[in-house]
């Protein structure tokens, strides 16, 4: 532990306040485990996914309707561009859309816009408890997934080749 002494992960975490001359004396016990055994060992706070929203403008939305259209989405999803002197709504970042479907409440957009999701484009959100970085968690999870796929592939090969145990 000379190179890396035991300490809090973040330096700004207060453990206790001591008066001059006071010290902390403690005996610590550690147990290493995996989330499969108990949730207390899981380094993941929350993990979720969603499909990428797809916003298709079927007919030009211009003028004041473009402003209203933009206000139906979170900031950064729709922008207003000027083409040939006409202000026109344009989708710039559908990833920021929360899929509120607010635009469908307005009659003037009926038949002008189609809201769908890209079925093969997933957006993952992984939050860590701080022990392991989310990037490293994803890497480790993919390693486990590939290992499980290899086991399943071997089992399928044994079944199809007639090598299954009787």
């Amino acid at each position: 532990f000379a190179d890396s002494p035991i300490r809090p992960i973040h330096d700004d975490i207060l453990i206790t306040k001591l008066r001059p001359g006071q010290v902390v004396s403690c005996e610590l016990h550690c147990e290493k485990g995996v989330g499969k055994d108990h949730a207390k060992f899981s380094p993941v706070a929350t993990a979720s996914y969603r499909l990428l929203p797809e916003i298709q403008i079927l007919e030009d939305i211009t003028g004041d309707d473009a402003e209203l259209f933009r206000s139906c989405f979170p900031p950064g999803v729709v922008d207003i561009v000027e083409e040939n002197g006409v202000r026109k709504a344009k989708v710039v970042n559908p990833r920021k859309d929360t899929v509120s479907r607010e635009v469908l409440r307005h009659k003037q957009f009926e038949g002008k816009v189609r809201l769908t999701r890209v079925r093969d484009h997933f957006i993952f959100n992984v939050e860590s408890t701080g022990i392991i970085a989310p990037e490293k968690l994803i890497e480790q999870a993919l390693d486990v997934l590939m290992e499980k796929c290899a086991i399943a592939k071997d089992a399928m090969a044994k079944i199809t080749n007639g090598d299954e145990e009787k």
Side-chain angles (χ1 to χ4, degrees):
F1 294 112
D3 295 336
S4 181
I6 297 172
R7 59 180 171 68
I9 292 174
H10 303 288
D11 294 330
D12 61 345
I13 295 176
L14 178 66
I15 295 174
T16 186
K17 286 186 175 185
L18 299 175
R19 299 194 66 168
Q22 289 183 321
V23 295
V24 174
S25 177
C26 57
E27 182 178 324
L28 305 172
H29 299 272
C30 292
E31 180 183 348
K32 185 178 181 195
V34 293
K36 182 177 171 182
D37 298 335
H38 194 282
K40 68 183 175 187
F41 297 120
S42 178
V44 178
T46 59
S48 63
Y49 76 91
R50 65 187 181 106
L51 294 172
L52 176 69
E54 184 176 35
I55 304 162
Q56 298 172 331
I57 298 176
L58 306 173
E59 292 180 29
D60 287 347
I61 299 171
T62 59
D64 291 338
D65 283 351
E67 290 289 343
L68 179 61
F69 185 77
R70 179 170 64 177
S71 71
C72 292
F73 295 93
V77 176
V78 175
D79 204 2
I80 296 177
V81 296
E82 195 162 320
E83 288 183 3
N84 301 328
V86 178
R87 295 170 43 80
K88 186 171 145 182
K90 180 180 177 186
V91 178
V92 291
N93 192 352
R95 182 181 290 259
K96 292 182 177 180
D97 187 26
T98 57
V99 195
S100 70
R101 307 180 72 80
E102 170 71 19
V103 72
L104 300 178
R105 292 182 44 197
H106 300 282
K107 294 286 185 203
Q108 60 263 47
F109 302 130
E110 212 171 277
K112 290 186 175 184
V113 65
R114 180 183 302 138
L115 302 177
T116 59
R117 294 188 181 106
V118 180
R119 296 284 172 211
D120 61 352
H121 189 127
F122 296 90
I123 300 170
F124 287 91
N125 181 30
V126 177
E127 295 178 13
S128 171
T129 58
I131 304 300
I132 302 172
E135 297 82 10
K136 191 72 175 167
L137 287 171
I138 294 291
E139 189 178 308
Q140 291 174 357
L142 290 174
D143 288 341
V144 170
L145 181 61
M146 288 190 303
E147 187 178 314
K148 288 181 178 185
C149 287
I151 291 168
K153 185 178 176 183
D154 291 343
M156 291 296 284
K158 285 181 183 177
I159 291 171
T160 56
N161 293 336
D163 296 343
E164 62 183 294
E165 295 178 22
K166 295 179 182 178

